[in-house]
Amino acid sequence: MLQSLIPRPRRILMTTDAVGGVWRYSLDLARELVAGGDTVMLAGLGPRPSAEQVREAQSFASLAWLETPPDWMTRDESALDRFPEEMQAIATAFAADLVHLNAPAQAARIDLPCPLVVVSHSCVVTWLHAVRGQVVAGDWAWQKDRNRAGFDRAGVVVAPSRSHAAMLEACYGAIPRLSVIHNGALPGPAVPRRESFALAAARWWDEGKNAKVLDAAAAIAEWPIYVAGPLDGADGQRACLDHCVTLGQVGHAEARRLMARASIFVSPSIYEPFGLAALEAALSGAPLVLADIATYREIWDGAAMFFDMHDSRALAQCISRLARDADLRRQFGRRAARRARKLSLQAQAAAMREIYDRAATAVAER
């Protein structure tokens, strides 16, 4: 009886933004859902996407852009007040039968009759906890209450790793209906041979990406460290990288080509709820050198080389050890690739469809 009330295929309205990892997560997942018969409308918040991003999204999904900023890009909670009305209008016009929100704050005051799934990719509260050992206060204090309200409103809450789920509950208290689904990624391009450099890719203005340790390691590592990603943030943040080879902002396709060319991929992050760049690099067969944080241990233990996230010398030693030993690079590259293949988009989409079923069943049982 209840299964007959759960529509398949679905019309899914999914939020996104064009700034960070949520864009890649939402596009890759949406593409896989569409391949399985669903229809997806992407509703974006914040700075508008590039022409390249628009072309990619519209090749398989519909795309709309809202006036509301992402919650993490404003200190003024009232800037989010129009979001429920904007989403209601899009959900009605699109005839959505499920809404997938990629930030818990977006669910706080929304009132839609269809099932509601919330995915927490990151938040200011857990970022402060991990990066600075602080509790949210001052201009950001409203974030905790709004996110908590979003968790309570959701039919199901999803975290991309067990470590992030644990951090959410450490910061917010128990979250009913919380599930963990690891992200997936597309296979990367192949290149004839790898080159003698290490690659790191992130939004380097973000303190949690640990640019200072990376740059100090680059000053003494045996191979150069190429760095892809922006150095400047919208609020005046700036990462200073004097010893790395900075490439600036690069498109996703170019980033994947760099991962295939690089002989080592490095992530010094202090805070990573999942770490999609590491997965993409591993799918290209690059050996991984990762900060020893809970998320990376959960996903890559036994398949990567780890270093103390505060120790630039230890990072440089890992890079130099791999640089001197081609057999060791091949060994770690194969380990990373084997682990990465278990984190497929097909598996992620199948798990998310089960989550959608649970959320739909909960609505049908009301």
Side-chain angles (χ1 to χ4, degrees):
M1 171 64 177
L2 287 176
Q3 284 299 116
S4 68
L5 299 174
I6 301 173
R8 281 182 177 275
R10 292 190 171 90
R11 296 181 65 79
I12 300 167
L13 174 58
M14 184 185 300
T15 56
T16 190
D17 69 62
V19 179
V22 170
W23 177 259
R24 184 49 43 197
Y25 165 92
S26 57
L27 261 67
D28 285 351
L29 176 58
R31 184 188 288 106
E32 194 65 30
L33 293 169
V34 169
D38 296 314
T39 303
V40 177
M41 163 74 81
L42 294 167
L45 295 82
R48 292 191 173 263
S50 67
E52 179 185 353
Q53 288 175 308
V54 169
R55 282 194 298 272
E56 181 182 6
Q58 290 184 336
S59 68
F60 57 86
S62 301
L63 181 66
W65 218 259
L66 311 184
E67 296 299 321
T68 305
D71 60 286
W72 54 271
M73 291 190 73
T74 181
R75 294 174 185 265
D76 180 7
E77 185 178 12
S78 66
L80 310 182
D81 287 349
R82 76 183 80 180
F83 177 78
E85 183 179 346
E86 287 189 293
M87 283 296 286
Q88 176 70 64
I90 293 174
T92 300
F94 178 62
D97 49 42
L98 184 136
V99 173
H100 172 143
L101 300 175
N102 278 309
Q106 295 169 2
R109 299 176 186 173
I110 204 161
D111 184 18
L112 294 169
C114 56
L116 191 65
V117 172
V118 166
V119 181
S120 174
H121 297 279
S122 66
C123 68
V124 171
V125 176
T126 54
W127 185 94
L128 282 169
H129 177 83
V131 177
R132 298 183 182 171
Q134 297 175 358
V135 297
V136 69
D139 290 346
W140 296 108
W142 58 269
Q143 289 261 348
K144 186 171 184 178
D145 291 338
R146 196 165 188 120
N147 287 339
R148 177 74 252 188
F151 292 137
D152 293 339
R153 172 68 183 84
V156 182
V157 178
V158 175
S161 63
R162 291 189 301 275
S163 59
H164 187 57
M167 191 178 297
L168 286 171
E169 295 202 309
C171 291
Y172 292 96
I175 299 173
R177 306 175 300 281
L178 176 60
S179 295
V180 172
I181 297 177
H182 287 153
N183 294 346
L186 292 168
V191 296
R193 66 178 185 85
R194 294 190 178 274
E195 301 172 35
S196 299
F197 67 89
L199 175 70
R203 300 187 307 274
W204 296 107
W205 51 263
D206 179 345
E207 185 182 338
K209 302 305 180 184
N210 208 12
K212 184 177 180 180
V213 164
L214 183 70
D215 197 50
I220 55 175
E222 195 145 323
W223 277 357
I225 301 176
Y226 287 34
V227 169
L231 304 185
D232 297 296
D235 287 337
Q237 312 99 315
R238 178 165 177 78
C240 294
L241 294 171
D242 298 323
H243 304 290
C244 297
V245 180
T246 55
L247 305 175
Q249 181 77 59
V250 300
H252 183 248
E254 177 59 21
R256 296 301 300 268
R257 286 190 288 270
L258 285 165
M259 289 171 180
R261 289 170 49 202
S263 287
I264 302 168
F265 182 82
V266 176
S267 176
S269 293
I270 299 168
Y271 174 76
E272 282 291 355
F274 180 77
L276 191 57
L279 172 58
E280 291 181 328
L283 283 166
S284 295
L288 303 179
V289 176
L290 305 175
D292 196 354
I293 59 174
T295 301
Y296 283 154
R297 278 289 178 183
E298 173 188 335
I299 298 167
W300 300 106
D301 195 24
M305 194 174 286
F306 292 91
F307 65 95
D308 182 328
M309 62 184 172
H310 301 297
D311 190 343
S312 58
R313 188 168 296 277
L315 169 54
Q317 288 171 348
C318 288
I319 294 171
S320 295
R321 183 182 170 198
L322 287 167
R324 295 170 189 154
D325 192 334
D327 288 339
L328 189 64
R329 292 199 302 276
R330 282 191 289 271
Q331 177 186 340
F332 273 95
R334 286 193 295 265
R335 288 183 189 178
R338 280 196 301 268
R339 185 68 54 82
R341 285 193 290 270
K342 297 178 181 179
L343 300 169
S344 69
L345 279 172
Q346 293 81 6
Q348 181 193 9
M352 285 305 301
R353 285 194 175 97
E354 291 183 7
I355 291 293
Y356 296 160
D357 287 348
R358 283 170 49 194
T361 299
V363 170
E365 287 176 338
R366 288 177 188 168

